[in-house]
Amino acid sequence: MLAVELHRAGLDADWATLLWEVSSLPPVALAAAAGALAAAGRPDDCDQLLRQGVARPAAEIADAVVALDRAG
């Protein structure tokens, strides 16, 4: 709902900034956010979030992948 309202208000850059900030969350929270975006029918946002998350150390990326796998 937040994404829809930000886009409707012309605040696309704020949504992009929010995704960037979410990409710095701990791996389990990042995976949960990506899963929530996918479940909400926002696959492009999910993909963007995951791409931004790859700037992490390899061990954290592995933790996020495991969390995503466990979440299905």
Side-chain angles (χ1 to χ4, degrees), residues 20 23 43-56:
W20 176 253
S23 75
D44 292 340
D45 289 333
C46 175
D47 291 347
Q48 180 179 346
L49 178 60
L50 292 173
R51 281 192 307 274
Q52 291 170 341
V54 300
R56 303 165 164 271

Side-chain angles (χ1 to χ4, degrees), residues 14-30:
D14 291 309
W15 177 247
T17 300
L18 182 59
L19 288 178
W20 176 253
E21 292 295 331
V22 170
S23 75
S24 68
L25 290 173
V28 173
L30 170 65

